[in-house]
Coordinates of all heavy atoms in Angstrom, one line a residue:
L60 N 2.6 10.7 21.0 CA 4.1 10.8 20.9 C 4.7 9.4 20.8 O 5.5 9.1 19.9 CB 4.7 11.6 22.0 CG 6.2 11.6 22.1 CD1 6.8 12.2 20.8 CD2 6.7 12.3 23.4
F61 N 4.4 8.5 21.8 CA 5.0 7.2 21.8 C 4.6 6.3 20.7 O 5.3 5.5 20.2 CB 4.8 6.6 23.2 CG 5.6 7.3 24.3 CD1 4.9 8.0 25.3 CD2 7.0 7.3 24.3 CE1 5.6 8.7 26.3 CE2 7.7 8.0 25.3 CZ 7.0 8.7 26.3
R62 N 3.3 6.4 20.3 CA 2.8 5.6 19.2 C 3.5 6.1 17.9 O 3.9 5.2 17.0 CB 1.3 5.8 19.0 CG 0.5 5.1 20.1 CD -0.9 5.0 19.7 NE -1.6 6.3 19.6 CZ -2.2 6.9 20.6 NH1 -2.1 6.4 21.8 NH2 -2.8 8.1 20.4
T63 N 3.8 7.3 17.8 CA 4.4 7.8 16.6 C 5.9 7.4 16.5 O 6.4 7.0 15.4 CB 4.4 9.4 16.5 OG1 3.0 9.8 16.5 CG2 5.0 9.9 15.2
T64 N 6.6 7.5 17.6 CA 8.0 7.0 17.6 C 8.1 5.5 17.4 O 9.0 5.1 16.7 CB 8.7 7.4 19.0 OG1 7.9 6.9 20.1 CG2 8.8 8.9 19.1
D65 N 7.1 4.8 17.9 CA 7.2 3.3 17.6 C 7.0 3.1 16.1 O 7.6 2.2 15.6 CB 6.0 2.6 18.4 CG 6.4 2.4 19.9 OD1 7.6 2.6 20.2 OD2 5.5 2.1 20.7
L66 N 6.1 3.8 15.5 CA 5.8 3.7 14.1 C 7.1 4.0 13.3 O 7.5 3.3 12.4 CB 4.7 4.6 13.6 CG 4.4 4.6 12.1 CD1 4.0 3.2 11.6 CD2 3.3 5.6 11.8
F67 N 7.7 5.1 13.6 CA 9.0 5.5 13.0 C 10.1 4.4 13.2 O 10.8 4.0 12.2 CB 9.5 6.8 13.4 CG 8.7 8.0 12.9 CD1 8.8 9.2 13.5 CD2 7.9 7.8 11.8 CE1 8.1 10.3 13.0 CE2 7.2 8.9 11.2 CZ 7.3 10.2 11.9
A68 N 10.2 3.9 14.4 CA 11.2 2.9 14.7 C 11.0 1.7 13.9 O 12.0 1.1 13.3 CB 11.2 2.6 16.2
G69 N 9.8 1.2 13.9 CA 9.5 0.0 13.1 C 9.7 0.2 11.6 O 10.3 -0.7 11.0
T70 N 9.3 1.3 11.1 CA 9.5 1.6 9.7 C 10.9 1.7 9.3 O 11.4 1.2 8.2 CB 8.7 2.9 9.3 OG1 7.3 2.7 9.6 CG2 8.9 3.1 7.8
L71 N 11.7 2.3 10.1 CA 13.2 2.5 9.8 C 13.9 1.1 9.8 O 14.7 0.8 8.9 CB 13.8 3.4 10.9 CG 13.5 4.9 10.7 CD1 13.8 5.6 12.0 CD2 14.2 5.5 9.5
V72 N 13.6 0.3 10.8 CA 14.2 -1.0 10.9 C 13.7 -1.9 9.8 O 14.5 -2.7 9.2 CB 14.0 -1.7 12.3 CG1 14.5 -3.1 12.3 CG2 14.6 -0.8 13.4
W73 N 12.4 -1.8 9.5 CA 11.9 -2.6 8.3 C 12.6 -2.2 7.0 O 13.0 -3.1 6.3 CB 10.4 -2.3 8.2 CG 9.8 -2.8 6.9 CD1 9.4 -4.0 6.6 CD2 9.6 -2.0 5.7 NE1 8.9 -4.1 5.3 CE2 9.1 -2.9 4.7 CE3 9.9 -0.7 5.3 CZ2 8.8 -2.5 3.4 CZ3 9.6 -0.3 4.0 CH2 9.0 -1.1 3.1
A74 N 12.8 -0.9 6.8 CA 13.5 -0.5 5.6 C 15.0 -0.9 5.6 O 15.5 -1.4 4.5 CB 13.5 1.1 5.5
A75 N 15.6 -0.9 6.7 CA 17.0 -1.4 6.8 C 17.1 -2.9 6.5 O 18.0 -3.3 5.7 CB 17.6 -1.1 8.2
G76 N 16.2 -3.7 7.1 CA 16.3 -5.1 6.9 C 16.0 -5.4 5.4 O 16.6 -6.3 4.8
L77 N 15.0 -4.7 4.8 CA 14.6 -5.0 3.4 C 15.8 -4.6 2.5 O 16.1 -5.4 1.6 CB 13.4 -4.2 3.1 CG 12.8 -4.5 1.7 CD1 12.4 -5.9 1.5 CD2 11.6 -3.5 1.4
L78 N 16.3 -3.4 2.7 CA 17.4 -3.0 1.9 C 18.7 -3.9 2.0 O 19.3 -4.3 1.0 CB 17.9 -1.6 2.2 CG 19.0 -0.9 1.4 CD1 18.7 -0.9 0.0 CD2 19.3 0.4 2.0
A79 N 18.9 -4.4 3.2 CA 20.1 -5.3 3.4 C 19.8 -6.6 2.7 O 20.7 -7.2 2.1 CB 20.3 -5.5 4.9
S80 N 18.6 -7.1 2.8 CA 18.3 -8.4 2.2 C 18.4 -8.4 0.7 O 18.6 -9.4 0.0 CB 16.9 -8.9 2.7 OG 15.9 -8.1 2.2
L81 N 18.1 -7.2 0.1 CA 18.1 -7.0 -1.3 C 19.4 -6.6 -1.9 O 19.8 -7.0 -3.0 CB 17.0 -6.0 -1.7 CG 15.6 -6.4 -1.5 CD1 14.7 -5.2 -1.8 CD2 15.2 -7.6 -2.2
R82 N 20.2 -5.8 -1.1 CA 21.4 -5.2 -1.7 C 22.7 -5.7 -1.1 O 23.8 -5.5 -1.8 CB 21.3 -3.7 -1.6 CG 20.2 -3.1 -2.3 CD 20.2 -3.2 -3.8 NE 21.4 -2.6 -4.3 CZ 21.6 -1.3 -4.6 NH1 20.5 -0.5 -4.5 NH2 22.7 -0.9 -5.1
L83 N 22.7 -6.2 0.1 CA 24.0 -6.6 0.7 C 24.2 -8.1 0.5 O 23.3 -8.9 0.3 CB 24.0 -6.4 2.2 CG 23.8 -4.9 2.6 CD1 24.0 -4.8 4.1 CD2 24.8 -4.0 1.9
P84 N 25.5 -8.5 0.5 CA 25.8 -10.0 0.3 C 25.2 -10.8 1.4 O 25.2 -10.4 2.5 CB 27.3 -10.0 0.3 CG 27.8 -8.6 0.0 CD 26.7 -7.7 0.6
S85 N 24.7 -12.0 1.0 CA 24.2 -12.9 2.0 C 24.9 -14.2 1.9 O 24.5 -15.1 1.1 CB 22.7 -13.1 1.8 OG 22.0 -11.9 2.0
P86 N 26.0 -14.4 2.6 CA 26.9 -15.5 2.4 C 26.3 -16.9 2.9 O 26.9 -17.9 2.7 CB 28.2 -15.2 3.2 CG 27.6 -14.2 4.3 CD 26.5 -13.4 3.6
G87 N 25.2 -16.9 3.6 CA 24.7 -18.1 4.1 C 23.3 -18.0 4.6 O 22.7 -16.9 4.7
R88 N 22.7 -19.1 5.0 CA 21.3 -19.0 5.5 C 21.1 -18.2 6.8 O 20.1 -17.6 6.9 CB 20.9 -20.5 5.7 CG 21.6 -21.2 6.9 CD 21.2 -22.6 6.9 NE 21.6 -23.4 5.8 CZ 21.5 -24.7 5.6 NH1 21.0 -25.4 6.6 NH2 21.9 -25.3 4.6

């Protein structure tokens, strides 16, 4: 159970960070 929730948590945050870096404005470094 806990390994599965960790996998989901990591995947969700990974997807959020990737989508944000590709689609949201990045005004600075």
Side-chain angles (χ1 to χ4, degrees):
L60 169 64
F61 291 112
R62 289 194 296 272
T63 301
T64 54
D65 283 348
L66 176 61
F67 283 163
T70 302
L71 288 164
V72 175
W73 168 83
L77 184 62
L78 180 59
S80 63
L81 295 176
R82 299 297 300 274
L83 298 187
S85 296
R88 66 187 65 173

